[in-house]
Amino acid sequence: MNLQSIKTAFFEAKHFEPKSLSELLNFIKTMYINGELSISEYRTAVMLLETSETSNPGHEVKI
């Protein structure tokens, strides 16, 4: 799983682009709760998103 695949899944489910990393984090959390992601997939996705966010602290990351 990579950032692009997360964004694609979000778009396919919601029919609009995510406006923030927070939206993507909520989306993958919902996918995990609904059993659509395994724990390892969820952890990997969270790590990817958090790494993207912390690579540019204090600024909104362009997603």
Side-chain angles (χ1 to χ4, degrees):
M1 179 170 279
N2 60 33
L3 188 56
Q4 186 59 44
S5 65
I6 296 168
K7 288 170 45 179
T8 301
F10 181 94
F11 183 79
E12 289 174 357
K14 306 265 187 179
H15 304 291
F16 62 90
E17 295 290 327
K19 294 182 179 132
S20 68
L21 290 173
S22 180
E23 275 187 314
L24 289 174
L25 283 167
N26 288 337
F27 177 69
I28 62 168
K29 184 187 301 181
T30 301
M31 288 179 69
Y32 173 68
I33 291 169
N34 290 334
E36 298 171 41
L37 292 177
S38 68
I39 186 64
S40 63
E41 290 171 320
Y42 175 73
R43 286 179 177 174
T44 300
V46 168
M47 188 172 57
L48 283 170
L49 292 172
E50 288 179 345
T51 301
S52 296
E53 188 173 49
T54 59
S55 67
N56 197 1
H59 301 282
E60 184 65 30
V61 176
K62 183 175 179 168
I63 53 172

